[in-house]
Amino acid sequence: EGVEEFITYSSSKPEVVSVDEHTGEVTALQEGEATITINFAGNDDYKPSSRTYNVRVRPLETLELTVTEAGYATISSEKVLDFTSLPELKLYTITATNDNKATTKEFSYKILRANNGLLVQAVPGTYQIPISASEVGYAPVGNLLRAVANTDVTADGTQYVLSNVDGVVGFRQVVTGDKIKKNTAYLRVAGGAAKTFVLDGEATGINLPNVETPSADGIMYNLSGQRVSKNYKGIVIINGKKVIRK
């Protein structure tokens, strides 16, 4: 008790790993290795002493995700994915396929277990999804999306992939023999009853974050998440809000 004031911390390579001299809080700065020394100066009750431990900093591994102009993408990985640092990405599962509609449901967890697929909604662009060092993640319950985690899959006519056809976002039937890209996800529906399943449910209430549009003459999206021109008539999304243009 009361020895904390006699303890200090130091790093052998502060450019790799810095450490707060008084609290011992460690911050990784770049790839490499460093030795942290804990030094006790001694007091009336205890002799001076020191301890060391080694820290290795590895580069952050990520998986690149491209969200198209439609505002959607699918993703899967053979490793655990961590979406914690990307709150602007909205995550969904597909829970049913009825009447040519694919029912979506929000996935509330931020750590996705390996070999599971998700539908992602976001502002169009490229995102780097961190791969977790942990093997623990959450598996979606009742999710119909199948993962293409580590290698391309050859379609057999029962798979449906995310597509944007004539301004409508949904899952389109893949021609037998075509390839489904790895790190994506698809629906498997036997029988080929429909050519396309249109998105329906929670993911269709589009609320795209960080779309900087100063007025209705700026960037706009329709209810399918597709970017539209200023001459578009109907309900559009501006700054994440629904607006009727007549």
Side-chain angles (χ1 to χ4, degrees):
E1 183 178 356
V3 300
E4 291 83 0
E5 60 185 297
F6 299 98
I7 297 176
T8 56
Y9 303 82
S10 62
S11 171
S12 64
K13 294 182 179 179
E15 71 277 10
V16 174
V17 176
S18 67
V19 61
D20 187 283
E21 180 182 4
H22 302 291
T23 66
E25 181 178 355
V26 172
T27 303
L29 299 175
Q30 65 181 47
E31 184 179 2
E33 296 184 16
T35 300
I36 303 299
T37 299
I38 308 169
N39 185 67
F40 174 59
N43 60 14
D44 293 339
D45 299 317
Y46 301 99
K47 294 180 180 180
S49 62
S50 64
R51 294 288 186 273
T52 61
Y53 64 92
N54 296 323
V55 176
R56 175 181 294 178
V57 181
R58 296 176 179 174
L60 179 65
E61 187 178 4
T62 62
L63 175 64
E64 185 171 283
L65 172 69
T66 299
V67 177
T68 67
E69 287 294 322
Y72 292 92
T74 60
I75 191 169
S76 66
S77 173
E78 61 182 343
K79 298 181 180 180
V80 176
L81 296 177
D82 185 352
F83 294 90
T84 305
S85 62
L86 296 163
E88 65 270 31
L89 301 187
K90 306 301 180 184
L91 311 177
Y92 299 92
T93 62
I94 303 295
T95 59
T97 52
N98 297 307
D99 299 324
N100 294 358
K101 294 181 180 180
T103 303
T104 59
K105 182 179 180 180
E106 185 174 3
F107 181 66
S108 58
Y109 298 101
K110 296 299 181 181
I111 310 295
L112 177 65
R113 185 181 297 179
N115 300 306
N116 282 273
L118 286 178
L119 173 69
V120 180
Q121 182 188 45
V123 171
T126 300
Y127 301 83
Q128 299 297 328
I129 314 301
I131 292 175
S132 175
S134 170
E135 295 183 357
V136 179
Y138 294 93
V141 177
N143 185 26
L144 299 183
L145 285 172
R146 303 287 186 91
V148 189
N150 58 2
T151 186
D152 293 353
V153 169
T154 302
D156 61 10
T158 64
Q159 295 94 344
Y160 292 71
V161 296
L162 187 67
S163 64
N164 180 13
V165 179
D166 297 328
V168 178
V169 180
F171 284 82
R172 169 187 55 83
Q173 188 175 27
V174 185
V175 176
T176 300
D178 282 0
K179 298 291 185 180
I180 304 174
K181 294 182 180 180
K182 69 176 183 178
N183 298 129
T184 62
Y186 64 89
L187 288 174
R188 181 188 290 277
V189 182
K195 295 297 182 182
T196 302
F197 290 96
V198 179
L199 293 186
D200 184 44
E202 296 177 7
T204 56
I206 298 176
N207 183 20
L208 296 176
N210 302 324
V211 180
E212 297 181 358
T213 52
S215 69
D217 293 326
I219 299 174
M220 301 182 298
Y221 296 85
N222 62 22
L223 292 182
S224 296
Q226 183 183 29
R227 185 170 173 173
V228 295
S229 71
K230 63 181 181 181
N231 297 321
Y232 185 88
K233 305 297 182 182
I235 300 176
V236 297
I237 309 300
I238 303 175
N239 288 331
K241 299 180 179 180
K242 292 181 180 179
V243 177
I244 299 177
R245 288 181 58 83
K246 299 180 180 180

